[in-house]
Amino acid sequence: MLSTFLIALREGLEAALIVGILVAYLVKTGRNHLLAPLWIGVGTAIAASLALGGFLSFTSAELSDRGEEFFAGTTSFLAVGFVTWMVFWMKRAARGLRDELHGKVDSAVGAGPIAIAITAFVAVVREGLETALFIYTNFKTVAATSSASIGLIAGLALAVILGYMIYNRSIKLNLSKFFTITGIALIIVAAGVLSYGVHEYQELG
């Protein structure tokens, strides 16, 4: 439950903060009419992430035992690689993320609402697909218990609440410290996923 909660909270809050930055910038610059396509882009990114999670689960269930071991091992290695890269990328890019997103919005405004939707989609889908992959592999590692599902729901819910409160300036959160602590925790979880992937490959001989 704890590992799944941490993954959902960390990745969910990253996505929530990105959405908050985009929404705040459109409102601040008087472009409220572009909020609808922005939310369409966000919704599409969430749908794509859920679709990936469903695809991974369905594919895993339909494979033979050896095929499932290869699939689970390979996705575990991919998840560890993506998450480790994202932890260090976020630490390096966090300070300039707001300006980068503002620049992308400014570039998209001239191209119309579809460009805004695509900008929002691209900004959010990276977090969503990574989360879906990492959650799937972590579920395989901890045997997908009901407590893991509770951790997933609780983590995402808290991420949305915190993101909204930060957007409304209801709370102040030391994001640098938060991402450092959760980044270390994610690396530890990734080590468990990595060991699971190694185990699956050993089972294949």
Side-chain angles (χ1 to χ4, degrees):
M1 178 178 178
L2 179 59
S3 61
T4 310
F5 174 80
L6 284 170
I7 296 168
L9 176 60
R10 159 74 186 231
E11 302 297 334
L13 186 56
E14 283 186 17
L17 290 173
I18 288 172
V19 173
I21 290 171
L22 293 173
V23 170
Y25 188 58
L26 288 179
V27 171
K28 182 179 178 180
T29 55
R31 298 162 175 165
N32 296 49
H33 63 287
L34 293 175
L35 289 175
L38 183 145
W39 284 115
I40 290 173
V42 171
T44 306
I46 293 172
S49 304
L50 293 174
L52 175 62
F55 169 78
L56 292 172
S57 299
F58 175 79
T59 301
S60 178
E62 293 297 312
L63 293 173
S64 64
D65 289 343
R66 287 185 62 80
E68 199 277 334
E69 288 168 351
F70 175 76
F71 185 76
T74 302
T75 52
S76 294
F77 291 136
L78 287 173
V80 170
F82 278 130
V83 169
T84 304
W85 176 76
M86 280 299 292
V87 166
F88 288 102
W89 176 85
M90 178 58 73
K91 186 174 180 62
R92 183 180 68 253
R95 290 186 178 181
L97 184 60
R98 186 187 302 271
D99 292 337
E100 179 186 345
L101 290 172
H102 287 178
K104 289 181 178 179
V105 169
D106 287 336
S107 299
V109 165
I114 294 178
I116 289 291
I118 293 173
T119 299
F121 173 82
V122 171
V124 176
V125 77
R126 177 175 55 191
E127 301 292 340
L129 296 181
E130 177 197 349
T131 303
L133 179 60
F134 199 21
I135 288 289
Y136 165 77
T137 54
N138 189 62
F139 265 42
K140 300 293 289 184
T141 304
V142 301
T145 60
S146 58
S147 62
S149 299
I150 294 172
L152 170 62
I153 295 170
L156 290 175
L158 182 57
V160 171
I161 292 170
L162 287 176
Y164 180 74
M165 293 178 74
I166 292 172
Y167 170 77
N168 269 352
R169 298 184 179 178
S170 303
I171 61 169
K172 285 188 177 180
L173 185 65
N174 188 327
L175 293 176
S176 177
K177 185 175 291 186
F178 172 83
F179 284 127
T180 297
I181 294 172
T182 55
I184 293 171
L186 282 192
I187 293 296
I188 294 171
V189 174
V193 173
L194 178 62
S195 68
Y196 174 79
V198 171
H199 173 266
E200 292 299 284
Y201 268 41
Q202 286 177 331
E203 289 292 310
L204 284 169

